[in-house]
Amino acid sequence: MSFFLNNKITSSIAFVHIYKCSSASDLENTIDLALRGEKYKKVDSAKGLVYVKGDRVLRLLFGAFVKYFKFKVLIKPEGENTYSVAVSSVSSGFSGGVIGVSQIRTETQKLEKLFQNI
């Protein structure tokens, strides 16, 4: 079981939250369940946890009419049973133009609120 403690950093495309949890794997499982509930898919990556929602090819073809989000989640130990979770957008949204960039910002805010309830 993980508990949200506070928000460390927030920007338009990233945020860092601090959690109190028994282990990093428990926190990772909780995050995975929350993001899968929002229809995100876990993508294998050497850079850590990466979650994708939408279709990249359709986004390139139809722009802002098709949603595509890609976020990287990084879990770091901060202290005893305390972990920081950094979530940042990997996709810029430029393939959707100005509307696409706005969609990335809105989705980041939505995820920030979701992560506060973990």
Side-chain angles (χ1 to χ4, degrees):
M1 188 72 178
S2 57
F3 300 100
F4 172 75
L5 293 177
N6 64 353
N7 182 347
K8 193 172 184 181
I9 300 169
T10 300
S11 74
S12 62
I13 59 168
F15 60 89
V16 178
H17 287 334
I18 306 296
Y19 294 90
K20 187 159 188 78
C21 187
S22 59
S23 70
S25 62
D26 286 343
L27 183 57
E28 183 178 329
N29 290 336
T30 304
I31 290 170
D32 189 57
L33 286 173
L35 288 175
R36 286 184 190 271
E38 293 293 318
K39 297 188 172 91
Y40 278 88
K41 295 176 192 168
K42 191 175 189 179
V43 177
D44 292 330
S45 175
K47 298 178 183 178
L49 297 173
V50 177
Y51 288 90
V52 175
K53 181 179 182 180
D55 190 331
R56 176 81 175 138
V57 174
L58 291 177
R59 174 66 168 225
L60 290 171
L61 289 173
F62 299 111
F65 295 109
V66 176
K67 293 186 179 182
Y68 175 76
F69 305 109
K70 186 174 184 180
F71 286 93
K72 181 172 79 170
V73 178
L74 182 62
I75 301 172
K76 291 184 187 176
E78 288 285 316
E80 189 174 330
N81 294 332
T82 307
Y83 299 91
S84 69
V85 176
V87 179
S88 59
S89 176
V90 178
S91 62
S92 63
F94 285 123
S95 58
V98 175
I99 295 171
V101 173
S102 176
Q103 287 173 342
I104 294 289
R105 290 181 180 155
T106 304
E107 188 70 12
T108 303
Q109 291 171 351
K110 179 181 166 187
L111 286 180
E112 182 181 4
K113 290 176 185 172
L114 174 72
F115 274 65
Q116 287 177 356
N117 294 321
I118 290 178

